[in-house]
Amino acid sequence: MKQQLDVVSDNRCFGGQQKVYEHDSAVLNFRMKFAVYVPDNLEGPAPVLYILGGMSSSEQTFIQKSGFQRWAAHYGIIVVSPDVCPRVTFGVEKNEIEAKGLSFYVNAVKKPWNRNYQMYSYVNEELPSIIQENFNVNKDKQSIMGHSMGGHGALISAIKNPGKFCSVSALAPVCNPSKTPDIQFIYKCYFGDDTKTMEEWDATCLVADYKGPELNILIHQGNKDKYTEQLKLDNFVSACEKAGIEISVNIEEGYDHGFYFISSFMEQHFHHHSKFLCGS
């Protein structure tokens, strides 16, 4: 049965339509929003790119701040950007995890988070199913990218689903959360003190044992990023090298962690994905 989607907004942008929808998520037990950009004049089923936002973001962040629509229109790619978490409040006031949307795109196992914080399943199962049912997309031509926390979500989605995504890219991604003290606190809320379970949701730990087709990974990070110690990109690169996984890493002079950085390299990321989605 086709799921009911309610239109929140619909705006003309770079010769296409930037839309936002709302729906009831069975996976998250909550009402969710996601954005979809559909370029004009698509010929047949179009490739689709999923973009995952970072902490304190929403479905509005990338569509308003990154300027990706120009490149999506240029290459003829449908772009889907979900909210970063269900907007549920567990107590009288939101705590830091709820307030900043720190889902990390994992499936929580501990109460109360496990009822709603199943973002991995939402991004990799429920949302793609909704997109395939309601939009003219080619299910065999899909890729994924993200920023910071969303970069981690993109990496684990590609690594845990060999062959599902044609390519993956990340801008200043969190790479090794189980070894990052500030993030360990969040992971303990979701998984308890079980280190092994935490590592099952850690891109650096996962890539070390990856068995599957080429991942086609592109990463950009600024050398003025104040979160470099928390991101631990070097750990991920080392794990890829040991596993024999090819990865393209670009450290950009003078750039920080924010959307000035992101918008500056959006063209390169769409060009990367277009090679695998469009053959361009």
Side-chain angles (χ1 to χ4, degrees):
M1 183 176 177
K2 203 171 183 178
Q3 188 167 147
Q4 174 67 39
L5 301 182
D6 297 322
V7 178
V8 176
S9 61
D10 186 354
N11 300 96
R12 192 77 177 148
C13 185
F14 282 104
Q17 295 301 128
Q18 179 62 71
K19 304 181 180 185
V20 175
Y21 294 91
E22 194 171 42
H23 74 107
D24 293 320
S25 168
V27 168
L28 302 177
N29 294 297
F30 207 76
R31 194 156 176 81
M32 290 292 290
K33 292 179 181 178
F34 64 87
V36 179
Y37 178 73
V38 183
D40 285 353
N41 303 318
L42 296 176
E43 297 180 2
V48 58
L49 174 64
Y50 292 87
I51 299 183
L52 308 182
M55 63 180 68
S56 301
S57 295
S58 73
E59 82 288 342
Q60 293 291 324
T61 310
F62 256 91
I63 67 176
Q64 292 186 15
K65 293 184 176 182
S66 72
F68 76 78
Q69 294 92 343
R70 176 182 180 182
W71 305 110
H74 175 75
Y75 289 112
I77 299 172
I78 291 175
V79 177
V80 179
S81 185
D83 199 354
V84 302
C85 71
R87 300 295 168 173
V88 62
T89 300
F90 294 114
V92 177
E93 296 181 359
K94 283 184 178 291
N95 63 28
E96 184 180 25
I97 292 177
E98 298 166 83
K100 293 184 178 180
L102 302 177
S103 70
F104 277 89
Y105 300 96
V106 303
N107 284 348
V109 298
K110 283 192 66 180
K111 295 180 179 180
W113 305 100
N114 60 342
R115 173 171 168 77
N116 306 104
Y117 275 55
Q118 302 291 310
M119 284 298 293
Y120 172 82
S121 292
Y122 179 70
V123 166
N124 288 281
E125 298 168 15
E126 186 176 30
L127 185 57
S129 177
I130 291 170
I131 298 302
Q132 290 165 20
E133 288 178 354
N134 290 276
F135 300 90
N136 191 19
V137 299
N138 183 345
K139 66 180 181 179
D140 296 321
K141 290 291 184 179
Q142 57 183 356
S143 292
I144 192 166
M145 67 175 288
H147 169 237
S148 192
M149 178 185 77
H152 180 261
L155 291 173
I156 64 170
S157 293
I159 297 167
K160 288 169 79 71
N161 294 277
K164 181 171 186 173
F165 298 103
C166 299
S167 51
V168 57
S169 74
L171 294 139
V174 173
C175 292
N176 202 182
S178 71
K179 299 296 187 290
T180 305
D182 290 346
I183 303 174
Q184 281 177 350
F185 162 75
I186 299 164
Y187 266 38
K188 286 182 179 181
C189 290
Y190 296 153
F191 307 120
D193 294 321
D194 186 349
T195 302
K196 185 176 180 180
T197 301
M198 290 185 193
E199 291 178 349
E200 291 172 359
W201 298 98
D202 184 308
T204 296
C205 300
L206 289 169
V207 81
D209 297 319
Y210 177 77
K211 300 292 187 294
E214 192 170 352
L215 288 166
N216 304 314
I217 305 172
L218 171 68
I219 293 178
H220 278 76
Q221 185 173 307
N223 73 342
K224 299 295 185 182
D225 193 318
K226 67 180 181 180
Y227 300 111
T228 296
E229 286 299 316
Q230 289 97 318
L231 301 177
K232 298 192 181 301
L233 175 58
D234 289 346
N235 292 6
F236 183 72
V237 173
S238 294
C240 286
E241 290 175 349
K242 290 178 182 177
I245 294 172
E246 189 173 343
I247 178 174
S248 176
V249 176
N250 302 271
I251 305 300
E252 302 296 343
E253 180 71 29
Y255 286 90
D256 59 19
H257 194 73
F259 270 84
Y260 293 118
F261 156 67
I262 292 170
S263 59
S264 296
F265 298 98
M266 194 55 57
E267 178 183 4
Q268 286 89 328
H269 282 251
F270 268 80
H271 178 68
H272 170 74
H273 291 296
S274 73
K275 291 185 294 183
F276 304 100
L277 293 176
C278 313
S280 60

